[in-house]
Structure formats: C-alpha cells, structure tokens
DNA sequence: GCCGTTTTCGGCCCGACTGTTTTCAGTCG
C-alpha cells in the first residue's frame, strides 16, 4: 500500500497553479508553486510528515494546502484539482508550456477562439483565424508556429542533470574568458546553487563592450540559435536544446547581479522583504538607500549591507539560511581543499603501472594523502574487475612521497564476496539496489569496513533509502555522494547526515579536466549542509583509518 | 493562498526584452 509520492504531489500542485493562472488568479498560483517546490525538496515522504502532524512546518504550506495534502494522502486525489481540470480544458496547460506563450494568451485563445489545445491552435493558425486579431502580428504568429513544431531528435528543453551541464558550462566560461573582452565571468542560477538539475545556464560577465561579448558568444560552436539580444542580455539555445542566458553588467554591480541571478527565487524574495524592512532596496544593480547604492561590487558587500553574513549559494533556498546568516551561524561547509583522500579510484582492467602512477601523480598534485584503488570485484555491468599484476606490483612498492594506498573490492547486489576474500582488502565497496533494501549486504562480515553506493529513487528519498542507510550504518566508512544512478543526491545526503552516516566525496582522480564528478559531489554534499566532520574523506587519513566497524554478521 | 521582531490584514520582486504598439501588455527569469 503506497500513497502518492512527493513528486506526484508536487506535480498536482503545479497543475493547480497553472490552471489558476489561466483563470486569471493573481497570487494563488505562486503560493501553490511555492508549496510544490518545498514538497519536492523534502527528505522524507509526505505521509510521514503528515503522521507527525508537521505539514504546516513545510514552507509555503498553510491551512488550505495542508488540508489538500491530507485529502490526497487519504483518497489519492484532490477535489479542487478535479474541479479545476473540469473547468479548464487540459490542452490549455500544454499551450501554457510553449515558449513565449503565457496564461493571458492561453486564456484568450480559449475564450475568444474556442481553442483548447496545441493541435487546435495549429489548425487555427493554418486557417488564418489569428490574422488581424489584436495583439497577433506576423512575427508572433511565426513564433507560435515554430513553438508548435516538434523538437528535433536529441534536442530537449527539459531540465537536465547537473553533471551533463557541467562540461558545457566550463567550455562556455573558458571560451568567454579567452576570446571575449570580459573581466569577470561566472555561471549563476541553479547551476551555481548545485541543484541536481538545471533548466538553463545563467552566464554573468563584466565588460566595457557588451556587443563584442555577444558577438563571440553567438558564434560559439555549441550555439544553434540566438533567441533574443538586447543591450545587456542575450539568450541562445545550444544544439542540445539547453538555453543559455548571458548578461553583461558593470563591475560595480557584479556582486549584486551574481547574488540576484543565483537565486533561488524564494531566497531572493525573503532577502528583498528583509531589505524593505530596513528601508533598503535590493535589485540586480545593488543595494540602495534611496538613490544611493550602498553595496554591489561583491556578494559579501550585498549581504553585509543587509546585516547578514555571506551565504554559500548551495544553501540559498529559503530553508532557514537567512536567519542563520543574521545570527552569524552559517555553517562552514566542506570545501574542496578539505578533501584528503579518494576512496574510490577505478582503473581499466588492462591498466599498467604507468596508469597507477598517473593517479598517484594527480593525488600528489592535489595534496591528497590517501588513495583507495578498486583492485577487484564485480562492476555495475556485472563484469569482473581485476587489477593487472603490473598495476598491483606498483601498489605494493610504496615509494617515498606516495600517498597512503588502500585496496578495495567492489561488489554489486547479489554478488558472492567469497572468491575475493583472499584479497584481504582494506574495505569493501557495496553497490546497493534501490528500495526495498536487501538485508543481506554482500561483504557484511566480521570487522568489514564498507563504502556504500546508494541511489535516491527518482521520486525522492523514502523509507527504502532510510532503511538502507540504517542497515549500512554500523559497518560504513561512508556513503558516496555524487552524480549518477548509484550515489546520493543532496536530499539523500541530507537524510544520511541526519542519521549520522558519514558521507564520501569522490575526487575523480585521474579523470579529465571537465570531469564533473568532484564538482557535482561537492555541490550535493554542501547542499546537504555538510561540514568537514560529516565527510569521511575530509577528516584526514588518520581519522578515516581509525574508524573501525562494529562487528556484525550478515543477516 | 501564505505570511508576520512593523502585521491576523494587506501585502506579495522587479527589470529586460519583444512585439505591436503610438505608451504598453505579456512573458520571462
């Protein structure tokens, strides 16, 4: 018996918001969207929160929405939603999602033309029914025609994983810094906040020559089309469908713009009302008292002008971080320079001594004190992993200047650990399935140390993940955070942290320059509010080595 | 519909850009 997932609940509330939009409601839609965002970022099932009578503690959930959540949990639907979908043709929601078309236009199509969906809209355009209608010129009609055309294969405007956007973002920044007349260049938006997915990229630069910057930007090889271009802003769409906004600001406003465009929306709304209370105004150009700009060059300045400590982008979600900043109690989140070891380095099965050397060089260059190699086991695809004798020999050498070397065995669920026992590894890496957890974790033998792979189900962390985390806890060195299907995202990391399970951040040692592993893992871990002591490979090799597992038998 | 060391009512971010306009409405972020 499983109720609606958090993701399903959020989708329902978003639909209510869209429907209310079309009906011309003013503030309710935003209220429902706010609740939807909060529900999505929960680290446990709505049902659990409801059972504890704590729904009202979810930001954006008041009397009315609490009642609707309870109704949804009890009956599987929301009568209000049913009523609205009955009132408004569902096809209008699809029209609403077309770029350049909003609630006002969708409503006009419906009321004035009787158009109730994208197909009818297309037919109306083809039949010339929009010609001469007030507000619809030739360009607007052409724009709609384009929006209605099916997207080419492989091109999608959907949100995509952070790790997919990462190399693209790096390449854009690199190109602008090298070839355009810019001083500063950063990516803002949800990318900078380290969200699991990004809908677009917000690039921010300072420059005396915006036109020259736009010229370079428009001609990047990844750019498919320029969607709009003004004096301070240009929007393009890449060949893969990702939208990128580039904004040029003056240096004195860079911090304010970075703050403003990093968001999140909820964080900024809260910041602005705080400013209003103090007789100040915040926008992307600075913090103003009357016409005087009192801050703007750096983010620190902006927050300080509002009486706040600087807040790391990963925490800017209006989940209490502003109160912490006011009280000077913002946590010192784990940083890249805190990382002292990599617990999980894979090499190809035909890897030679020089490949090991390359990883050890990377470790030394980074100042990393310990490296754990996967020397044998069963990989994600079921294939046997075995370190070559040549590579093993290098591990055994222990040259002066080497980081401490550890040897790990990696296993998939159901794989038999016995054939690998003679390897006497320093620890086992266990790859878990999704929920429900199996109690028989391979490798759970006396004194075993574990590094666990756990994935967060798409609908969010639920009881299954919690049970898994509790199951591995006793023997765990840590649970890995990072990109991909078998590591924790920020919500999973947050749940693990609340249960006292240490986290591990993979460094991607020996990977390419644009390898997103470390950056993404670090962002997720920071979004979970983790400090250095929450991270196993940030506490120094001594601390990691000293952590011994409680003896435990496999069930 | 939500929210409150100004409040239980009256606010709710605000500026850029586009297209269709003779001064602005709609969309977007």
């Amino acid at each position: 018996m499983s109720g609606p997932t958090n993701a399903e609940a959020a989708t329902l509330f978003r639909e209510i918001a869209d429907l209310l939009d079309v009906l011309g409601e003013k503030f309710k839609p935003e209220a429902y969207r706010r609740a939807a965002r909060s529900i999505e970022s929960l680290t446990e099932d709505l049902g659990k929160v409801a059972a504890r009578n704590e729904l009202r503690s979810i930001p954006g959930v008041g009397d009315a929405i609490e009642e609707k959540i309870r109704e949804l949990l009890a009956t599987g639907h929301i009568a209000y939603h049913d009523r609205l979908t009955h009132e408004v043709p569902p096809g209008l929601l699809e029209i609403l999602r077309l770029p350049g078309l909003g609630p006002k236009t969708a409503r006009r199509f419906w009321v004035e033309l009787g158009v109730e969906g994208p197909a009818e809209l297309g037919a109306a355009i083809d039949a010339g029914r929009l010609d001469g209608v007030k507000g619809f010129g030739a360009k607007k009609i052409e724009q709609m025609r384009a929006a209605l055309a099916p997207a080419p294969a492989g091109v999608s405007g959907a949100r995509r994983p952070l790790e997919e956007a990462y190399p693209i973002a790096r390449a854009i920044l690199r190109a602008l810094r090298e070839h355009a007349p810019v001083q500063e260049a950063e990516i803002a938006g949800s990318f900078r906040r380290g969200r699991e997915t990004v809908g677009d990229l917000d690039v921010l630069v300072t420059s005396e020559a915006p036109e020259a910057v736009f010229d370079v930007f428009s001609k990047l090889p990844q750019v498919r089309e320029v969607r709009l271009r003004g004096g301070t802003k240009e929007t393009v769409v890449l060949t893969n469908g990702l939208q990128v906004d580039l904004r040029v600001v003056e240096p004195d406003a860079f911090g304010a713009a970075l703050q403003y465009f990093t968001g999140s929306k909820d964080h900024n709304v809260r910041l602005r009302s705080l400013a209003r209370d103090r007789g100040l105004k915040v926008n992307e150009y600075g913090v103003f008292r009357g016409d005087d700009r009192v801050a703007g060059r750096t983010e620190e300045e902006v927050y300080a002008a509002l009486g706040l400590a600087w807040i790391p982008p990963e925490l800017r979600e209006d989940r209490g971080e502003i109160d912490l900043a006011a009280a000077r109690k913002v946590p010192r989140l784990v940083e890249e320079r805190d990382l002292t070891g990599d617990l999980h380095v894979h090499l190809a099965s035909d890897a030679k001594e020089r490949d090991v050397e390359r990883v050890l060089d990377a470790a030394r260059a980074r100042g990393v004190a310990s490296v754990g190699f996967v020397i044998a086991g069963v990989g994600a695809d079921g294939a046997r992993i075995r370190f070559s004798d040549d590579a093993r020999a290098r591990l055994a050498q222990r040259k002066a200047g080497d980081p401490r070397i550890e040897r790990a065995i990696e296993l998939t669920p159901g794989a038999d650990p016995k054939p690998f026992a003679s390897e006497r590894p320093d620890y086992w890496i266990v790859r878990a399935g999704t929920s429900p957890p199996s109690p028989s974790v391979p490798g759970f033998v006396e004194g075993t140390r574990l590094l666990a792979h756990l994935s967060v189900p798409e609908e969010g962390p639920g009881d299954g993940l919690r049970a898994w985390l509790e199951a591995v806890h006793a023997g765990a060195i840590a649970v890995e955070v990072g990109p991909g299907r078998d590591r924790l995202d920020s919500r999973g990391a947050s749940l693990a942290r609340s249960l006292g399970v240490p986290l591990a951040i993979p460094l991607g040692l020996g990977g390419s320059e644009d390898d997103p592993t470390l950056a993404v893992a670090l962002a997720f871990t920071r979004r979970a509010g983790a400090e250095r002591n929450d991270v196993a490979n940030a506490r120094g090799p001594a601390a990691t080595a000293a952590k011994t597992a409680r003896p435990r038998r496999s069930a």
Side-chain angles (χ1 to χ4, degrees), chain A residues 135-346:
Chain A
F136 295 98
K139 277 190 162 175
K140 190 83 200 171
I141 289 175
E142 203 37 57
Q143 192 188 78
M144 287 191 288
R145 210 191 287 277
L148 282 163
V155 172
S156 159
R159 296 188 72 89
R160 58 204 75 213
L162 182 60
E163 61 268 28
E164 191 182 319
Y166 183 80
I168 301 171
R170 295 266 307 202
I172 289 172
L173 281 184
R174 214 162 30 227
L176 288 175
R177 285 171 180 154
E178 284 174 17
H179 303 299
V182 303
Q183 290 99 47
E184 316 223 39
E186 295 294 342
I187 313 269
S190 52
F191 181 91
R192 183 159 177 253
R193 301 202 313 279
R195 266 195 64 172
E196 274 70 13
T197 60
V198 299
D200 62 12
L201 290 176
D202 295 297
V203 187
L204 211 58
V205 305
T206 58
S207 175
E208 311 298 323
E211 286 299 317
V213 180
F214 292 154
D215 286 342
V216 172
F217 185 57
S218 312
K219 293 191 182 80
L220 293 179
Q222 301 94 325
V223 170
R224 188 181 69 205
E225 60 162 301
V226 176
R227 195 160 271 177
L228 61 87
R229 178 167 172 169
T232 63
K233 172 186 171 180
E234 178 169 37
T235 295
V236 304
V237 179
L238 304 183
T239 49
N240 67 356
L242 186 66
Q243 180 174 312
V244 186
D245 295 338
L246 172 65
R247 288 183 173 82
V248 181
V249 301
E250 55 160 338
D252 281 343
F254 186 70
L258 190 57
Q259 193 290 314
Y260 184 90
F261 290 111
T262 296
S264 66
K265 184 178 183 160
D266 292 334
H267 177 87
N268 284 356
V269 166
R270 177 63 65 94
L271 222 54
R272 223 147 297 145
S273 72
L274 189 80
R276 207 182 36 245
D277 295 347
R278 301 176 182 219
L280 298 165
K281 195 178 84 157
V282 190
N283 58 27
E284 61 261 58
Y285 302 108
V287 181
F288 295 86
R289 173 169 280 117
D291 289 334
D292 292 338
R293 175 155 62 191
V294 297
R297 179 168 277 274
T298 66
E299 277 193 333
E300 285 80 357
E301 245 181 60
V302 170
Y303 282 99
L306 300 171
L308 301 173
W310 181 80
I311 299 170
E314 294 91 338
L315 298 183
R316 300 181 194 171
E317 301 288 349
D318 190 22
R319 292 196 216 123
E321 73 279 5
I322 291 175
D323 291 340
L324 289 177
R328 309 277 143 182
K329 290 194 173 134
V330 177
R332 195 286 210 178
L333 302 180
V334 61
E335 296 172 14
E336 183 174 342
R337 63 186 164 91
D338 297 329
L339 302 176
T340 56
D342 193 338
L343 288 158
H344 195 167
V345 175
H346 274 286

Side-chain angles (χ1 to χ4, degrees), chain A residues 501-524:
Chain A
V501 181
L503 304 170
I505 298 174
L507 296 182
L509 277 184
S512 70
E513 191 195 353
D514 285 344
D515 183 346
T517 306
L518 168 60
V520 172
L522 192 60
F524 290 177

Side-chain angles (χ1 to χ4, degrees), chain A residues 365-378:
Chain A
R366 213 181 248 285
V368 164
S370 78
V371 179
F373 287 93
V374 178
I375 56 163
V378 181

